[in-house]
């Protein structure tokens, strides 16, 4: 199976404003797929559309390469916004309540899930006494009830302290790898997803503006910024050298090359280099640039 989630022209409108518009994503089996964007970018709406929690969406959704959504949504687990746990019940009793509501009622499975999210030692503690990180881990355990194949997690790291973030990051990586789950996870902070996601989709004002391949983890791309007295001619020369060039106020060159080769080529064409800078561009740098381009 090539994709477990695929959308085409997916849109959702609230009154006169589109929350998402013509969004197309393709999620592979067993990958962690990140959704990043500012608050209000459309991340939660997209997730609710996939889960069938909002009516009136248009476009196409395929789950497990099928349009039979009712059946296939039963193969998904989710943590959207605040989990509806009872403050005066323990973590164990909260999961037991939902397990019975789902028609499962397997006490051994509840213990297994609490062990998985490292809450077995706090299973008898009341939910209101849990830290925010513990509450989020219990929410992830809830999303795993019934052994779903896809997890949809809306901002599970939001507001958690650094130690809690590391714990949840390790947990989700383990779930994806060892439990063979596909995870779709959102955040408004790219750095939170950069350390966990295989691919990251950028949403802005309800539109998908790019998908970043994060297979290389935190390895940054080498870029070179130059400004010349004749940028149009400089672009021609750089492209003849087989380099990828973006032209805006300056020339942005992506990839590796010998500085001496570039300088020689410019000198031979009587082009003066006014500014020259080489640096490593992180995914976060690229993300911010793409937002600036859309907002320009």
């Amino acid at each position: 199976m090539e994709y477990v989630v695929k959308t085409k022209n997916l849109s959702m409108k609230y009154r006169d404003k589109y929350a998402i518009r013509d969004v197309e994503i393709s999620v592979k089996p067993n990958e962690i797929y990140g959704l990043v964007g500012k608050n209000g970018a459309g991340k939660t709406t997209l997730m609710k559309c996939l889960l069938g929690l909002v009516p009136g969406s248009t476009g196409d959704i395929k789950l497990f390469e099928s349009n039979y959504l009712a059946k296939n949504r039963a193969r998904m687990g989710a943590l959207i916004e605040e989990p509806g746990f009872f403050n005066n019940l323990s973590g164990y009793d909260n999961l037991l309540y939902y397990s019975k509501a789902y028609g499962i009622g397997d006490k051994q499975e509840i213990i297994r899930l609490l062990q998985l999210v490292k809450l077995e030692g706090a299973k008898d503690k009341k939910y209101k006494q849990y830290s925010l990180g513990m509450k989020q881990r219990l929410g992830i355990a809830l999303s795993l009830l019934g052994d779903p194949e896809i997890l949809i997690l809306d901002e599970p790291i939001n507001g958690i302290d650094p130690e809690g973030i590391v714990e949840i990051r390790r947990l989700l990586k383990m779930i994806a790898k060892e439990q063979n789950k596909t995870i779709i996870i959102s955040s408004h902070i790219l750095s939170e997803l950069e350390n966990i996601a295989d691919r990251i989709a950028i949403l802005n004002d309800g539109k998908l503006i790019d998908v970043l391949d994060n297979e290389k983890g935190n390895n940054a791309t080498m870029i070179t910024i130059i400004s010349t007295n004749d940028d149009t001619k400089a672009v021609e020369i750089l492209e003849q050298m087989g380099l990828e060039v973006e032209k805006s106020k300056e020339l942005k060159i992506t990839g590796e090359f010998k500085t001496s080769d570039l300088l020689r080529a410019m000198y031979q064409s009587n082009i003066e280099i006014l500014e020259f800078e080489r640096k490593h561009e992180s995914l976060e740098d690229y993300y911010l640039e793409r937002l600036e381009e859309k907002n320009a």
Side-chain angles (χ1 to χ4, degrees):
M1 186 180 298
E2 188 175 4
Y3 298 111
V4 293
V5 176
K6 192 174 180 67
T7 70
K8 184 176 182 181
N9 299 325
L10 184 61
S11 301
M12 181 68 205
K13 192 175 185 180
Y14 295 107
R15 295 183 181 178
D16 298 327
K17 180 176 174 59
Y18 279 97
I20 57 171
R21 187 165 189 173
D22 297 327
V23 172
E24 300 190 2
I25 64 170
S26 300
V27 183
K28 301 174 183 177
N30 305 128
E31 79 170 333
I32 300 178
Y33 191 94
L35 301 175
V36 68
K38 298 178 292 184
N39 291 330
K43 305 183 299 297
T44 300
T45 298
L46 173 56
M47 290 178 157
K48 287 182 176 180
C49 287
L50 296 178
L51 293 164
L53 297 179
V54 290
S57 64
T58 59
D60 185 57
I61 300 174
K62 284 188 176 181
L63 301 176
F64 305 98
E65 300 184 348
S66 169
N67 292 112
Y68 191 5
L69 300 182
K71 179 180 178 180
N72 286 317
R73 279 176 174 144
R75 301 163 69 181
M76 305 168 77
L79 175 61
I80 302 292
E81 297 172 344
E82 289 288 330
F85 289 125
F86 301 96
N87 279 326
N88 288 318
L89 291 184
S90 67
Y92 175 88
D93 286 336
N94 266 293
L95 289 186
L96 181 61
Y97 171 86
Y98 281 106
S99 178
K100 289 180 177 179
Y102 295 169
I104 303 170
D106 185 343
K107 295 181 180 180
Q108 288 302 117
E109 176 65 4
I110 293 172
I111 294 298
R112 185 189 73 82
L113 291 176
L114 288 169
Q115 290 173 338
L116 183 69
V117 300
K118 300 188 183 305
L119 286 177
E120 186 186 16
K123 68 182 181 66
D124 296 322
K125 182 183 289 190
K126 289 185 178 181
Y127 178 73
K128 65 182 179 182
Q129 297 173 325
Y130 278 19
S131 68
L132 182 56
M134 293 168 70
K135 289 178 178 179
Q136 291 297 82
R137 280 185 278 146
L138 190 67
I140 292 170
L142 175 61
S143 73
L144 287 165
L145 275 176
D147 197 24
E149 297 170 58
I150 299 174
L151 294 184
I152 294 185
L153 307 175
D154 186 23
E155 304 253 13
I157 307 176
N158 188 28
I160 298 177
D161 60 57
E163 183 178 353
I165 290 174
V166 172
E167 288 178 352
I168 290 182
R169 184 188 302 154
R170 288 173 179 167
L171 171 62
L172 296 180
K173 286 182 176 180
M174 182 272 292
I175 289 172
K177 183 177 181 180
E178 298 181 15
Q179 304 288 316
N180 296 318
K181 308 293 185 188
T182 301
I183 299 175
I184 300 176
I185 178 174
S186 72
S187 177
H188 60 279
I189 303 173
L190 178 61
S191 58
E192 290 182 355
L193 298 182
E194 192 171 358
N195 291 318
I196 186 173
D198 299 300
R199 288 186 297 148
I200 302 171
I202 301 175
L203 289 170
N204 188 51
D205 292 331
K207 295 183 179 180
L208 179 67
I209 61 175
D210 209 344
V211 178
L212 310 179
D213 189 344
N214 196 31
E215 287 183 357
K216 295 181 180 179
N218 292 322
N219 291 345
T221 302
M222 175 63 76
I223 64 167
T224 304
I225 305 294
I226 68 171
S227 177
T228 74
N229 63 341
D230 189 345
D231 285 350
T232 301
K233 189 174 181 181
V235 169
E236 294 178 5
I237 294 170
L238 293 168
E239 289 179 343
Q240 289 172 6
M241 294 173 63
L243 298 174
E244 181 181 337
V245 187
E246 292 180 24
K247 182 178 179 181
S248 54
K249 295 179 182 179
E250 306 161 312
L251 302 183
K252 175 182 171 182
I253 309 166
T254 304
E256 298 286 347
F257 60 88
K258 288 185 178 180
T259 303
S260 58
D261 291 342
L262 184 147
L263 296 176
R264 184 181 304 107
M266 295 298 170
Y267 175 78
Q268 291 174 348
S269 299
N270 296 317
I271 295 176
E272 182 181 354
I273 295 179
L274 306 176
E275 294 182 19
F276 186 98
E277 178 187 4
R278 303 200 77 179
K279 65 178 183 178
H280 284 91
E281 181 183 55
S282 67
L283 286 177
E284 191 163 17
D285 293 332
Y286 181 77
Y287 164 62
L288 293 173
E289 285 181 13
R290 295 292 281 129
L291 290 185
E292 288 176 4
E293 289 172 8
K294 288 295 178 180
N295 294 327

